[in-house]
Amino acid sequence: MPSIVNEFSAFDAEMMARALSLARKGIYSTTPNPHVGCVLVSPDGNIIAEGFHQKAGDAHAEVNALQKAGTESIGATAYVTLEPCSHQGKTGPCALALIDAKIQKVIIACRDPNPNVNGSGIDMLQEAGIEVSIGLMESTALKINAAFFTRMHLRRPLITVKLAASLDGKTALASGESQWITSKQARTDVQHYRASACAILSGADTVIADNPKLNVRPNELKDTIAEQFSWRDSQPLRVIIDSRNRLSREKYEMFNDGQACLVYNSKTNFSLGTENTGPVRQQQVGTINIDDREYLDLNIVLADLADKGINHLWVEAGAKLSGALFDLDVVDNLVLYQAPKILGSSAKGLTHASAKNSLDEALCGEVISVSKVGPDIKTLIKFSHLNTTGT
């Protein structure tokens, strides 16, 4: 089999940059699939066609570009942000489509870690006599699909926790009142994060306290994002942890809007219904004992969500659930909104993460950015778990 050549020109980089820009168009719509872009270039260096993957079940980026190119694809070079697939899923293998279109060369940003692919697409192309190069702008491609890569490598979603607090790190008054500490602008800013997520996780405490819908409000999205989000078939899946079956369908809005909710518990909650075929479903998981109390095993929950194709999990939860995720060291990103308010020592704190005995035990992140949203401050913090992912 021919060896892979990894020598790239400035023109190659320009074309891959275009393909990566196309891939970003799928950030709000491709779940559970990765975001992929493709540019086809003629032997004389002209762009023939471009394509990107819009949503699961529809044509992949390579096929979209090839359909536009027609017979002009013969002898062309394809720039693809992720290794072309080699297996039959809801659509046919993209590697085979490139072969049938008589593409001469394929330049790939990064290998696909999906066990159904993972080099087999490259092998299929090479066996057909197509020249293959891989690794051009790989780090950017990995960042675009950080959530997909996390699920493939760690068998859990990429987890982003959102917290809103006062300057003194409080999320609610001692009475429990918490709406609204941060501004309307901050709550609007949250919408594009929700829109990019495969699922939104919360706990029974938050549902009981706030009766939230935990949905995306398209009218609060920027126009381009609203259009891209509209390509999805549905809202992000709402995932609720209810270990003690405290929730009921009658009392809470999210269970009556027709959009999908998945409630994890240890035994069936008949107040949510007995049929498990509609938009509100329940799933029982095992428990663990912490300080003489039973809690759902979040590692099982996260693995199950990964098996269900959840790449990016956006978390809007109370101090207990968010603290439990930090204790498990599975939080990849934190989005913290802070209002210029002081709530005082009796108010409720950010998380119930376990106490540390020394600063050496502290979970340390990297501040990615600090910005102003309305009157509030937004800080983005990254916690590293994989060298091959980023945001």
Side-chain angles (χ1 to χ4, degrees):
M1 183 179 296
S3 61
I4 294 176
V5 178
N6 294 318
E7 297 179 359
F8 308 110
S9 67
F11 178 79
D12 290 334
E14 180 184 351
M15 293 302 100
M16 187 60 78
R18 289 182 69 98
L20 291 165
S21 180
L22 288 165
R24 291 187 183 94
K25 291 186 176 183
I27 286 174
Y28 301 96
S29 62
T30 66
T31 178
N33 291 349
H35 322 305
V36 184
C38 175
V39 175
L40 300 180
V41 177
S42 67
D44 57 0
N46 293 315
I47 295 175
I48 301 167
E50 300 175 331
F52 66 96
H53 183 43
Q54 189 174 91
K55 69 175 184 178
D58 284 6
H60 290 186
E62 300 93 322
V63 172
N64 277 325
L66 290 170
Q67 288 175 343
K68 295 174 186 176
T71 56
E72 289 186 81
S73 64
I74 297 173
T77 297
Y79 294 84
V80 188
T81 61
L82 188 68
E83 177 185 359
C85 61
S86 55
H87 64 289
Q88 178 70 47
K90 292 182 178 179
T91 60
C94 291
L96 182 59
L98 291 167
I99 293 167
D100 290 343
K102 296 181 171 56
I103 293 292
Q104 183 179 16
K105 182 177 181 179
V106 178
I107 297 179
I108 301 165
C110 60
R111 185 184 294 256
D112 187 342
N114 185 335
N116 291 321
V117 187
N118 198 23
S120 61
I122 293 170
D123 291 344
M124 183 181 289
L125 294 170
Q126 289 191 299
E127 288 168 1
I130 295 175
E131 181 183 337
V132 176
S133 297
I134 187 167
L136 176 60
M137 303 182 76
E138 180 180 38
S139 61
T140 303
L142 291 171
K143 289 179 181 179
I144 290 174
N145 278 308
F148 177 74
F149 276 77
T150 298
R151 177 166 71 91
M152 290 294 136
H153 286 299
L154 299 182
R155 203 194 160 203
R156 67 162 176 82
L158 182 140
I159 297 173
T160 302
V161 171
K162 169 256 180 180
L163 294 173
S166 61
L167 283 179
D168 52 345
K170 307 298 183 179
T171 61
L173 297 175
S175 64
E177 181 183 348
S178 62
Q179 294 182 317
W180 298 99
I181 290 176
T182 52
S183 64
K184 184 179 186 299
Q185 294 96 318
R187 299 194 296 278
T188 296
D189 189 63
V190 163
Q191 294 302 308
H192 82 275
Y193 289 109
R194 288 184 179 181
S196 68
C198 304
I200 300 171
L201 174 69
S202 194
D205 286 344
T206 298
V207 175
I208 291 169
D210 299 336
N211 194 14
K213 293 182 179 178
L214 294 177
N215 59 1
V216 178
R217 299 188 287 272
N219 62 309
E220 296 184 24
L221 298 172
K222 294 179 180 179
D223 289 345
T224 53
I225 296 176
E227 179 188 6
Q228 292 166 10
F229 179 72
S230 72
W231 299 335
R232 288 176 71 152
D233 291 326
S234 62
Q235 289 269 341
L237 173 68
R238 279 83 55 89
V239 180
I240 307 299
I241 306 296
D242 184 18
S243 59
R244 292 184 284 162
N245 285 359
R246 292 182 288 160
L247 304 179
S248 66
R249 185 170 292 191
E250 291 74 18
K251 291 180 65 175
Y252 301 106
E253 290 188 57
M254 72 169 63
F255 302 128
N256 297 285
D257 62 7
Q259 296 293 331
C261 287
L262 174 60
V263 179
Y264 284 99
N265 48 32
S266 60
K267 59 183 179 181
T268 301
N269 180 356
F270 295 103
S271 295
L272 292 175
T274 56
E275 294 186 4
N276 216 23
T277 55
V280 180
R281 302 193 180 194
Q282 302 180 56
Q283 185 157 333
Q284 286 72 54
V285 298
T287 61
I288 56 175
N289 187 283
I290 302 176
D291 296 329
D292 296 323
R293 181 177 160 185
E294 293 296 319
Y295 294 88
L296 297 188
D297 190 331
L298 292 178
N299 282 318
I300 296 176
V301 170
L302 296 176
D304 184 66
L305 289 172
D307 290 343
K308 287 179 167 58
I310 301 301
N311 295 318
H312 182 200
L313 185 64
W314 173 256
V315 181
E316 294 190 33
K320 292 179 183 177
L321 180 52
S322 61
L325 293 170
F326 280 112
D327 281 345
L328 289 175
D329 195 15
V330 294
V331 176
D332 299 284
N333 303 298
L334 170 63
V335 181
L336 174 63
Y337 297 91
Q338 285 184 285
K341 301 173 182 178
I342 302 293
L343 297 188
S345 60
S346 64
K348 298 185 177 182
L350 268 176
T351 78
H352 286 183
S354 60
K356 310 303 179 189
N357 295 316
S358 71
L359 289 177
D360 291 338
E361 296 178 3
L363 180 62
C364 297
E366 176 188 359
V367 175
I368 302 301
S369 67
V370 179
S371 58
K372 190 175 180 183
V373 179
D376 304 322
I377 298 298
K378 180 174 77 169
T379 305
L380 304 183
I381 297 172
K382 177 177 174 57
F383 300 91
S384 296
H385 300 286
L386 281 176
N387 293 328
T388 53
T389 64
T391 55

